Amino acid sequence: MAVQSSDAPPTHDVSSAAPTGAHVDAHATGTEAEHASGGGLPQFEFQWWAGQIFWTLLIFAVLYLLLSRVFLPRLRRVKDERAATISTAVDTARQVQAEAADQAEIAKAEVEQARAASRATAAAAKARVTEAANARAAEEEAVVTARIAEAETAIGKTRDAAMAKVSTIASDTARAIVEKLTGKAATAAEADAAVKGAV
């Protein structure tokens, strides 16, 4: 059995070191093989389903709360406000239409009343004009009748005066003729009797 000197360099056990590196490489190779053999999407692996279901339910619950407590009430409120606005506008339009119809009926009645009043005024004016014309005609007729009566009276007087003068003239003429024919003057009574007998 030989004894090694202290000056000799220390030797490494190559056989013991080699298996360690080989073991590491084999482990890495096995891990890569395991990953390679289990390929695909992780969410389809059964081991991750519990977490995925939990987060899905949590997200669904959060979305449900947001929709039911925040978004849907706002949409419902906006919808109700819009429906109320439309209903109010429709009611207002119907009220305005009804008021317009009432105003149209009132205006129509006022027009008919104004026409009736104008016709009554025209008839009253015509009646007044006719009455005034009839009164004026009656006055003028009375004046004319009075003048005719005066004229007839004057004519009668003139006629009577003329007739009196004619009688006198005829009587004088008869006396003159008798005197000329007979040579004797006739009396006034005889001349008047002769004239009256001739008339």
Side-chain angles (χ1 to χ4, degrees), residues 10-33:
T11 60
H12 298 284
D13 192 358
V14 179
S15 62
S16 65
T20 303
H23 179 69
V24 173
D25 294 337
H27 180 70
T29 304
T31 304
E32 292 176 359

Side-chain angles (χ1 to χ4, degrees), residues 25-191:
D25 294 337
H27 180 70
T29 304
T31 304
E32 292 176 359
E34 289 179 0
H35 285 295
S37 64
L41 297 174
Q43 57 268 30
F44 290 124
E45 294 182 5
F46 182 75
Q47 60 181 348
W48 305 110
W49 282 12
Q52 292 177 7
I53 292 173
F54 171 74
W55 286 108
T56 301
L57 293 176
L58 181 62
I59 293 172
F60 178 78
V62 171
L63 289 177
Y64 177 77
L65 290 175
L66 287 175
L67 288 174
S68 63
R69 299 295 177 85
V70 179
F71 296 111
L72 291 180
R74 290 182 180 178
L75 291 175
R76 189 177 296 109
R77 185 168 58 253
V78 171
K79 182 180 178 181
D80 293 341
E81 290 178 356
R82 182 174 296 178
T85 302
I86 293 173
S87 178
T88 303
V90 171
D91 293 338
T92 303
R94 289 178 180 174
Q95 184 177 1
V96 170
Q97 185 178 6
E99 291 178 356
D102 294 338
Q103 293 295 329
E105 292 296 330
I106 294 173
K108 185 177 180 181
E110 290 179 353
V111 169
E112 292 297 330
Q113 185 177 1
R115 289 179 178 175
S118 63
R119 286 194 292 266
T121 303
K126 183 177 180 180
R128 285 196 301 270
V129 171
T130 303
E131 184 178 358
N134 292 333
R136 190 179 303 110
E139 292 177 358
E140 292 177 355
E141 184 177 0
V143 171
V144 170
T145 302
R147 289 181 180 178
I148 290 173
E150 292 177 357
E152 288 179 351
T153 302
I155 290 171
K157 290 180 179 180
T158 303
R159 184 182 63 246
D160 293 340
M163 290 302 293
K165 291 181 179 179
V166 168
S167 297
T168 303
I169 294 171
S171 177
D172 292 342
T173 303
R175 289 173 65 187
I177 291 171
V178 169
E179 184 179 0
K180 189 174 182 179
L181 290 175
T182 60
K184 293 181 180 180
T187 62
E190 292 175 349

